[in-house]
Amino acid sequence: MKLSALSSTLAKKLGHSHLRVAGEYWHLSDLLQLQHILLSHAPSLKEGLVWWSKSLSLFERNVYIEISESNESLDLTLSTRDQQNLPAWSELLLTELHASLSSQVKTELVSVSSKLCLRVSLYELEPQPAMPGLHSFAKKVFLLLQHQAIESPDLQSQLKRTIQRAIDKPLSIGVVAKQLGLSTRTLQRRLSEKQLNFSQLVEDEKQTLALNLLADTHLSVAQVALKLGYDDPSNFHRSFRRWFSFTPSFYRQQCQQNRIQVNQQPVRLHYARGSIGLPGELHTQEGQVWLEVDNIAFEKVVTVECKDQDGIWRHYPAFFDDFLADGTELWSTANLPVAQPLSFRLRYDVDGETYIDDNQQRDYLVSERLLLGAPAYIVPTLSIIKTGFAYQLFIELACRLANVDRILCYLGEHPEPLALQQVSTNSQYSVWTLSSPFPALAKQCHFRLYDKYNQELALHHYPKHYQFVPPLM
């Protein structure tokens, strides 16, 4: 089998096409090429088989080959360190090795103690044409890799790449599972373990691609809709309005107008939400992070690096939410099924540069329910629901200013403001809430804060206005 075909087949068996080795991504074809050099350029076939066997651990640390030698043969027996069943990919590689050697030497695949074994005749092992320098270099590369951490791509990254490749077609979990080399039930179980929703993952990718195409290309809105799998542009328009509080055309216009110069710190924490809450406070089971991102260029990647359950730091993608001010965008992650308390760093890749906000090398830690970043206050809860012939407002505001005495909420064009009540306070912020009937449907609101001397605070706060999520009618 050719290297490209073997790489493709191996990727289906493993469920991914890349491995992260010592912080760098290696394509499977790179590792297969290294394995081929170790085998074919060794001084002898016997030595090549030994080094080929050692290199199998690059694909997964748990799998290795036991080598035993008799007077007649060299036996390469597949084994696992945890005594589990042999993974299909390891049997694929040993079978492929058998096929490639069959024209040079007598080989056979046998079962030894329920393990797959390749038996190579020692009588016919002869010196092979080789490039000793290339083999020596390959050994050094292998030995360096052998002592580095090897990490398979997480499930979410694999799904993301698979969804992206077929985003313009109807996607089912069964089709995606097959492409990953998994059964539908296995993929459903793994998604459940990670508290991920397949439909939401597909929608997240549609959102991201929609923003990129609108910002970075001259495609019409109808053409963008087709690339996202929408037969009718009006359906895309409705989806976009459901995702965001503005139209596709407005977003494109804002992107063109609001590009700014690079600041010293173009990514900042807006706020984060953890699962820790005080008595009587609402809280979620998973963390989430909101970021302020300066719009330096159209093409950008924003991620949050979190400490996971196993202690490893992993990157989770953030997605565009809204415009905060001229040149500043609000991005957020999905719910983060990671270790609690939530510990994280912010990363922004744009124009070939990487910007990190790691809280001055201390990392961010959500020790309370909320962690406030750049703004003076944030509004984690803002909703309005229909109750009979009227509406009910629910607002929650967290403020990090210490000298606030009064907070007023102005709703739409309504002239009279409503006052928020302070319900709790801690060392980091105070929580103010408003729950009140309202006679009309409000689309947006803004807040004004005062101290006890009636001096207005947070005059330069942004966003200036907050949008309500429309109620279900």
Side-chain angles (χ1 to χ4, degrees), residues 161-172:
R161 286 195 295 269
T162 304
I163 292 169
Q164 287 172 345
R165 288 195 294 266
I167 199 72
D168 59 339
K169 303 177 182 66
L171 278 171
S172 70

Side-chain angles (χ1 to χ4, degrees), residues 375-395:
Y377 60 87
I378 56 100
V379 184
T381 304
L382 185 71
S383 63
I384 183 169
I385 63 172
K386 188 173 177 60
T387 57
F389 296 102
Y391 297 88
Q392 185 76 23
L393 298 170
F394 295 96
I395 298 175

Side-chain angles (χ1 to χ4, degrees), residues 44-332:
S44 68
L45 183 56
K46 179 179 177 181
E47 186 173 348
L49 288 169
V50 170
W51 283 101
W52 185 96
S53 300
K54 289 180 178 181
S55 67
L56 206 67
S57 64
L58 294 178
F59 300 96
E60 186 180 326
R61 292 287 193 235
N62 187 49
V63 179
Y64 68 102
I65 285 185
E66 292 180 350
I67 300 179
S68 58
E69 184 177 345
S70 67
N71 293 330
E72 299 180 351
S73 65
L74 189 72
D75 286 2
L76 311 180
T77 305
L78 282 172
S79 302
T80 57
R81 302 185 193 284
D82 56 10
Q83 306 304 312
Q84 297 297 315
N85 292 333
L86 291 170
W89 68 264
S90 63
E91 296 184 343
L92 167 70
L93 289 184
L94 196 64
T95 302
E96 182 60 26
L97 176 63
H98 166 60
S100 65
L101 293 177
S102 59
S103 61
Q104 307 174 44
V105 64
K106 181 180 178 181
T107 62
E108 61 176 329
L109 288 172
V110 296
S111 178
V112 177
S113 301
S114 300
K115 298 177 181 178
L116 187 64
C117 171
L118 176 62
R119 182 161 292 160
V120 183
S121 172
L122 287 178
Y123 289 122
E124 301 177 47
L125 289 182
E126 298 178 356
Q128 58 181 12
M131 297 176 63
L134 186 57
H135 183 260
S136 177
F137 178 76
K139 284 197 298 184
K140 291 177 181 178
V141 173
F142 164 71
L143 291 172
L144 286 172
L145 296 179
Q146 188 183 36
H147 296 290
Q148 302 295 329
I150 295 180
E151 180 184 341
S152 300
D154 60 88
L155 176 63
Q156 194 165 350
S157 298
Q158 296 177 56
L159 282 169
K160 182 177 179 179
R161 286 195 295 269
T162 304
I163 292 169
Q164 287 172 345
R165 288 195 294 266
I167 199 72
D168 59 339
K169 303 177 182 66
L171 278 171
S172 70
I173 190 170
V175 170
V176 171
K178 186 176 181 181
Q179 292 179 5
L180 291 175
L182 303 171
S183 68
T184 302
R185 180 173 295 181
T186 297
L187 180 55
Q188 288 173 330
R189 175 177 54 78
R190 292 178 64 181
L191 285 170
S192 178
E193 290 171 353
K194 288 285 188 178
Q195 297 178 314
L196 296 172
N197 180 279
F198 177 76
S199 298
Q200 186 60 51
L201 289 173
V202 173
E203 186 151 293
D204 287 345
E205 290 308 311
K206 285 182 181 289
Q207 288 183 41
T208 301
L209 184 56
L211 295 175
N212 287 343
L213 292 175
L214 289 168
D216 301 346
T217 73
H218 296 291
L219 296 174
S220 67
V221 173
Q223 289 172 318
V224 171
L226 286 174
K227 283 188 171 292
L228 295 173
Y230 291 93
D231 293 331
D232 187 345
S234 62
N235 291 334
F236 168 62
H237 194 276
R238 282 193 290 270
S239 294
F240 199 91
R241 288 303 304 268
R242 177 167 50 84
W243 299 334
F244 309 108
S245 59
F246 42 80
T247 66
S249 299
F250 175 83
Y251 171 75
R252 169 168 279 171
Q253 181 183 16
Q254 290 294 106
C255 284
Q256 292 170 349
Q257 293 176 351
N258 287 345
R259 294 187 68 182
I260 65 172
Q261 298 299 313
V262 179
N263 291 329
Q264 186 175 4
Q265 185 54 274
V267 59
R268 303 167 294 277
L269 175 65
H270 193 67
Y271 80 96
R273 181 180 65 193
S275 65
I276 301 173
L278 297 175
E281 286 188 337
L282 295 174
H283 64 277
T284 60
Q285 296 300 308
E286 297 175 351
Q288 192 172 4
V289 178
W290 285 260
L291 311 85
E292 298 182 9
V293 179
D294 289 347
N295 184 23
I296 298 168
F298 294 152
E299 282 286 351
K300 49 183 171 279
V301 177
V302 183
T303 55
V304 176
E305 188 177 14
C306 302
K307 191 174 184 179
D308 229 325
Q309 305 278 2
D310 54 8
I312 296 175
W313 288 81
R314 293 188 173 91
H315 291 279
Y316 292 86
F319 305 95
F320 172 84
D321 270 352
D322 207 341
F323 295 99
L324 282 173
D326 287 346
T328 302
E329 301 170 351
L330 179 67
W331 290 57
S332 69

Side-chain angles (χ1 to χ4, degrees), residues 324-358:
L324 282 173
D326 287 346
T328 302
E329 301 170 351
L330 179 67
W331 290 57
S332 69
T333 67
N335 284 340
L336 299 167
V338 296
Q340 295 294 340
L342 176 60
S343 182
F344 64 92
R345 302 184 279 257
L346 313 178
R347 176 176 174 135
Y348 179 22
D349 292 284
V350 59
D351 278 354
E353 298 289 339
T354 297
Y355 302 92
I356 302 292
D357 178 6
D358 58 2

